[in-house]
């Protein structure tokens, strides 16, 4: 069998996965080539590549989903191989064929394997032959109440995009339309299918690795049950609480599937475990998974390096043995307390502590801009330790101590999730966040008043601008100075009073606190006999305070509030930059709406987001129309409040 030697690799992707593949390429002495959209011209993956080729435009459909442009970029840069990463074109058989037809090495499975596993019917036949129960597909046009609840899924992709749970038959047409639009935007293919939705199920998967010489590895199991919007948030390996018989059954089924299609490279076979432990085949992903690092940690392998070597025709060595437990958390720029709204802006700081067993796979660095066009995942943080409790503890503490400044993120949610009794006891299922989100996003239980005090003292400790002023010494106690801060994102205001004494700065009305040291970047306080340190970072009017157990963000407020800064009651403001994709049916000035009713749909970061009526009443202004580009905070509409307003917008739009 002829063997290829890869010398220069183009990664047909962006962000974290492109950076991660480049890292392995550097270790192997392979030249790296990036592609980038206009929105990604200064992105981290572009900076880390040896060469980079522009794909004109910003929308995925015009750039990262254009296989012809990617192949042309590989030729222009002199690459001899293409790695698709995950998402975008990674499971597109036509793209894989185009890469091979161009004389390039395809770092992925054979085109035929992609085609077979892309066929949901063929994939289910393979699993049936392996004795794994299946979820029979449901024709949406013929669905009845007995078929509910249903899960709508995109046929050509994953990552939760294009997925919807339908619990009421009247919701099905609208959810089909939304799922189709989202799938088309994310994958360039709007095909959607339906299957029964399993309540309280666990998402468990098997990592496989295969070569052209007949070897197939089953590299253990992963549990990916903690999901939001059907997209994984926390993953771990091995999947806890599975008996040996079930593990063996899953391994055998995954291996049989790989052999049946002549698989090569890395792939994942996904299963849904019902509450009684019965496995149902979901799908086979013919690509690298986002969560592959937990398997790498447990088995001590580099899966990307194995992909490259099998693409070159090299055989796999002896399968490695598993050791310990690994947990991964995905850090997103999003606000879980506000319907997981993605956030944009400048990532002012992203620093995760270094420690044995910790790994950071990032797609952004401090100072980068988080835009609106792509997935809001900033990084993945992985912890590996001898046991599950140790790995969970290590990861939670690392996230808690991380400095993440800028837009709101899900960092606090991740820490609380890892420490939740259900998670620590491995009581896992895909409904975790449906049940616990409210408690996991409740206001942080810390000491924001002392954090605001640290912010004020750090500000007071900064050298004054301009020439020195004389006459500051006085024998009488000085009058207190005050500073005001608004907590983010809770909006709670703190007014801090302090004064300068002969021993230094001291709080004015907080007898339980003594200031031990105050510098512009760190304040040390004695709080009721306990020494506490506060690291303070200022970016314009935003102040970030990091302590041993919590992090706080404040906006420094002027001494007096500008009355012109008030927002008209009942205003619907754009929660993020995006494109208006549709309005509720019949929505027009004069329409009656109910509080909480979806009125406007925005597309941002490849997903649809609903803008809800802030109150019951009449629509008195409408400034949005399909196709409009809006910035965050843009006024979309105004509702004049009225008690118990009967809605004139059709009720099916409430889905």
């Amino acid at each position: 069998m002829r063997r290829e030697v890869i010398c220069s690799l183009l990664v047909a992707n962006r962000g974290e996965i492109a950076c991660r593949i480049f890292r392995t390429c550097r270790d192997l002495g392979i030249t790296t080539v990036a592609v980038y959209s206009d929105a990604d011209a200064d992105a981290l993956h572009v900076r880390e590549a040896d060469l980079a080729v522009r794909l004109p435009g910003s929308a995925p459909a015009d750039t990262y989903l254009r296989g012809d442009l990617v192949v042309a970029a590989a030729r222009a840069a002199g690459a001899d191989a293409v790695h698709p990463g995950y998402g975008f074109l990674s499971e597109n058989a036509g793209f894989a064929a185009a890469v091979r037809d161009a004389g390039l090495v395809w770092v992925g499975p054979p085109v035929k394997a992609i085609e077979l596993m892309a066929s949901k019917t063929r994939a289910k036949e393979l699993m049936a032959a392996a004795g794994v129960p299946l979820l029979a597909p449901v024709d949406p046009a013929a669905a009845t109440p007995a078929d509910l609840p249903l899960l709508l899924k995109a046929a050509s992709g994953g990552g939760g995009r294009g997925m919807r749970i339908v619990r009421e038959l009247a919701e099905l047409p609208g959810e089909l339309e939304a799922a189709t639009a989202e799938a088309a935007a994310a994958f360039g293919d709007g095909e959607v299918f339906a299957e029964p939705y399993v309540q309280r199920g666990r998402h468990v998967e098997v990592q496989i690795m295969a070569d052209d010489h007949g070897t197939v590895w089953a590299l253990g199991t992963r549990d990916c049950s903690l999901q939001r919007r059907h997209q994984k948030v926390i993953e771990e390996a091995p999947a806890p609480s599975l008996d040996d018989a079930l593990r063996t059954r899953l391994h055998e089924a995954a291996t049989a599937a790989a052999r049946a299609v002549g698989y090569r490279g890395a792939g994942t076979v996904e299963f849904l475990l019902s509450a009684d432990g019965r496995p149902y085949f979901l799908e086979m992903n013919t690509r690298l998974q986002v969560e592959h690092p937990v398997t790498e940690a447990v088995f001590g392998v580099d899966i990307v390096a194995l992909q490259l070597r099998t693409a070159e025709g090299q055989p796999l060595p002896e399968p490695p043995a598993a050791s310990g437990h690994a947990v991964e958390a995905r850090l997103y720029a999003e606000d879980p307390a506000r319907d997981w709204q993605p956030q944009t802006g400048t990532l002012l700081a992203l620093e995760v502590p270094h420690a044995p067993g910790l790994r950071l796979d990032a797609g952004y660095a401090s100072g980068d801009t988080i835009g609106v066009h792509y997935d809001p995942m900033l990084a993945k943080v992985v912890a590996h330790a001898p046991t599950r409790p140790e790995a969970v503890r290590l990861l939670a503490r690392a996230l808690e101590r991380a400095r993440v400044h800028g837009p709101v993120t899900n960092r606090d949610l991740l820490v609380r999730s890892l420490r939740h009794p259900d998670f620590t006891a491995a009581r896992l299922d895909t409904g975790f966040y449906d049940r616990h989100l409210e408690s996991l996003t409740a206001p942080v239980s810390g000491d924001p008043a002392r954090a605001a005090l640290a912010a004020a003292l750090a500000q007071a400790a900064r050298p004054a601008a301009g020439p020195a002023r004389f006459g500051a010494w006085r024998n009488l106690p000085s009058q207190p100075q005050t500073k005001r801060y608004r907590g983010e994102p809770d909006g709670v205001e703190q007014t801090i009073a302090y004064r300068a004494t002969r021993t230094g700065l001291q709080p004015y009305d907080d007898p339980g606190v003594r200031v031990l040291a105050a510098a512009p970047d760190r304040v040390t306080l004695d709080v009721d006999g306990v020494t506490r340190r506060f690291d303070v970072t200022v970016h314009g009017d935003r102040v970030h305070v990091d302590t041993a157990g919590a992090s706080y963000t404040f906006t420094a407020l002027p001494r007096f509030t500008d009355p012109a800064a008030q927002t008209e009651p009942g205003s619907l403001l754009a929660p993020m930059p995006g494109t208006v994709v549709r309005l509720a049916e019949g929505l027009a000035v004069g329409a009656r709406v109910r509080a909480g009713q979806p009125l406007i749909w925005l597309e941002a970061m490849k997903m649809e987001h609903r803008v809800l009526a802030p109150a019951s009443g009449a629509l008195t202004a409408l400034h949005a129309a399909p196709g409009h580009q809006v910035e965050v905070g843009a006024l979309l509409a105004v509702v004049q409040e009225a008690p118990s307003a009967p809605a004139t917008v059709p009720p099916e739009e409430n889905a």
Side-chain angles (χ1 to χ4, degrees):
M1 179 178 295
R2 185 174 69 89
R3 293 186 180 181
E4 310 278 0
V5 177
I6 296 173
C7 296
S8 177
L9 178 77
L10 180 142
V11 177
N13 219 294
R14 63 174 302 279
E16 172 270 327
I17 188 56
C19 295
R20 187 265 169 274
I21 295 169
F22 291 159
R23 186 169 66 242
T24 290
C25 288
R26 287 193 294 270
D27 292 342
L28 298 178
I30 296 173
T31 300
T32 56
V33 182
V35 288
Y36 65 93
S37 69
D38 291 340
D40 274 342
D42 297 319
L44 181 62
H45 78 279
V46 179
R47 304 197 302 268
E48 291 199 346
D50 297 315
L51 303 170
V53 181
R54 174 179 175 244
L55 304 177
S58 292
D62 299 328
T63 54
Y64 298 108
L65 289 172
R66 284 284 303 274
D68 57 334
L69 297 182
V70 174
V71 171
R75 284 173 162 167
D80 48 31
V82 173
H83 192 306
Y86 54 70
F88 294 129
L89 295 168
S90 61
E91 295 181 279
N92 186 305
F95 176 60
V99 170
R100 297 303 303 266
D101 291 345
L104 303 170
V105 177
W106 168 249
V107 184
V111 174
K112 189 64 175 177
I114 299 175
E115 291 175 340
L116 288 172
M117 282 304 170
S119 166
K120 305 303 179 182
T121 302
R122 176 58 177 153
K124 289 179 181 293
E125 289 173 355
L126 293 171
M127 290 298 103
V132 179
L134 306 174
L135 294 170
V138 176
D139 180 1
T144 69
D147 296 316
L148 300 174
L150 288 174
L151 180 63
L152 305 181
K153 299 178 68 175
S156 295
R161 299 179 185 91
M163 294 181 71
R164 295 288 193 282
I165 299 174
V166 179
R167 301 185 186 277
E168 300 291 339
L169 210 56
E171 298 175 357
L172 186 54
E175 296 289 13
L176 264 175
E177 179 184 353
T180 298
E182 192 168 277
F187 310 115
D189 181 356
E191 182 183 353
V192 172
F193 68 96
E195 63 185 19
Y197 177 67
V198 177
Q199 307 273 18
R200 302 294 290 264
R202 283 181 64 184
H203 186 118
V204 175
E205 58 192 33
V206 176
Q207 173 74 58
I208 60 170
M209 194 74 214
D211 62 21
D212 285 325
H213 303 270
T215 300
V216 178
W217 291 350
L219 287 176
T221 57
R222 295 188 289 251
D223 190 292
C224 311
S225 298
L226 266 63
Q227 303 177 4
R228 60 97 167 103
R229 290 185 168 182
H230 313 291
Q231 191 165 21
K232 302 161 188 173
V233 177
I234 295 176
E235 306 103 343
E236 59 181 304
S241 307
L242 301 185
D243 61 47
D244 291 341
L246 180 55
R247 289 183 190 276
T248 298
R249 188 181 184 190
L250 296 178
H251 289 172
E252 290 176 348
T255 302
R259 293 191 184 283
V261 297
Y263 203 80
R264 183 198 68 210
T268 301
V269 182
E270 300 192 343
F271 302 90
L272 189 65
L273 299 188
S274 63
D276 60 2
R278 287 172 58 85
Y280 293 95
F281 170 71
L282 287 176
E283 61 187 354
M284 180 175 181
N285 290 312
T286 53
R287 56 171 169 82
L288 193 66
Q289 291 280 89
V290 180
E291 58 273 18
H292 74 275
V294 293
T295 299
E296 292 184 319
V298 168
F299 284 91
V301 297
D302 183 331
I303 291 178
V304 172
L306 292 172
Q307 285 185 295
L308 294 170
R309 287 172 176 139
T310 56
E312 291 176 327
Q314 299 184 41
L316 290 171
E318 289 297 314
S323 176
H325 200 95
V327 189
E328 172 182 288
R330 303 189 191 187
L331 183 65
Y332 286 98
E334 65 183 10
D335 190 347
R338 290 173 171 78
D339 197 28
W340 310 97
Q341 288 177 1
Q343 306 292 299
T344 59
T346 301
L347 181 64
L348 302 170
L350 176 59
E351 299 172 11
V352 176
H354 296 285
L358 283 178
R359 167 176 166 178
L360 175 67
D361 283 12
Y364 292 85
S366 300
D368 285 350
T369 298
I370 304 165
V372 302
H373 298 285
Y374 312 111
D375 187 282
M377 188 173 75
L378 304 177
K380 303 177 309 194
V381 186
V382 185
H384 178 235
T387 67
R388 183 177 189 269
E390 290 173 291
V392 171
R393 180 180 65 193
L394 178 61
L395 181 57
R397 183 61 176 147
L399 288 166
E400 185 176 59
R401 293 179 55 219
R403 294 177 70 244
V404 187
H405 299 165
V408 174
T409 72
N410 68 336
R411 187 264 301 274
D412 291 342
L413 174 90
L414 295 174
V415 174
R416 291 183 177 190
S417 298
L418 291 165
R419 292 174 173 166
H420 192 279
D422 280 356
F423 185 83
T424 57
R427 294 189 293 266
L428 310 172
D429 67 77
T430 56
F432 178 86
Y433 287 120
D434 293 336
R435 297 190 302 277
H436 302 305
L437 184 62
E438 184 175 355
S439 64
L440 292 171
T441 56
V444 63
S445 57
D447 198 346
R450 267 51 182 279
L453 170 62
L457 295 175
Q459 183 177 351
R462 287 186 215 123
R469 298 178 61 187
F470 296 95
W473 285 93
R474 60 182 67 190
N475 290 325
L476 297 176
S478 65
Q479 292 300 308
Q481 302 293 312
T482 61
K483 288 184 169 40
R484 296 172 55 241
Y485 298 93
R486 182 179 63 243
E488 305 294 345
D490 57 22
V492 176
E493 291 192 12
Q494 303 280 349
T495 299
I496 303 301
Y498 64 93
R499 64 184 180 186
T501 70
R502 279 180 284 187
T503 59
L505 298 169
Q506 295 296 336
Y508 180 68
D509 52 4
D510 195 344
V513 174
R514 287 190 307 116
V515 181
L516 302 181
D521 59 350
R522 171 171 278 199
V523 172
T524 305
L525 303 177
D526 180 306
V527 181
D528 298 324
V530 178
T531 298
R532 301 188 183 278
R533 296 178 179 86
F534 301 80
D535 293 316
V536 182
T537 310
V538 179
H539 303 279
D541 64 350
R542 300 290 291 274
V543 184
H544 297 269
V545 181
D546 297 296
T547 72
S551 297
Y552 305 87
T553 302
F554 300 102
T555 296
L557 300 176
R559 293 183 63 189
F560 304 104
T561 303
D562 181 1
Q566 304 299 317
T567 302
E568 183 177 357
S571 297
L572 281 79
L573 304 180
M576 69 205 74
T579 302
V580 178
V581 292
R582 60 190 175 111
L583 306 178
E585 184 180 347
L587 189 67
V589 173
R592 310 286 288 182
V593 299
R594 290 195 183 98
Q597 196 170 353
L599 301 182
I600 299 168
W601 280 258
L602 293 179
E603 192 278 324
M605 296 184 178
K606 299 193 286 185
M607 299 186 75
E608 284 194 2
H609 308 272
R610 303 178 302 171
V611 181
L612 311 180
S616 297
L619 195 74
T620 59
L622 180 61
H623 304 288
H628 281 182
Q629 298 281 334
V630 297
E631 296 298 323
V632 62
L635 181 64
L636 303 177
V638 178
V639 175
Q640 183 176 356
E641 293 191 42
S644 305
T648 57
V649 174
E652 62 267 22
E653 290 293 339
N654 292 338

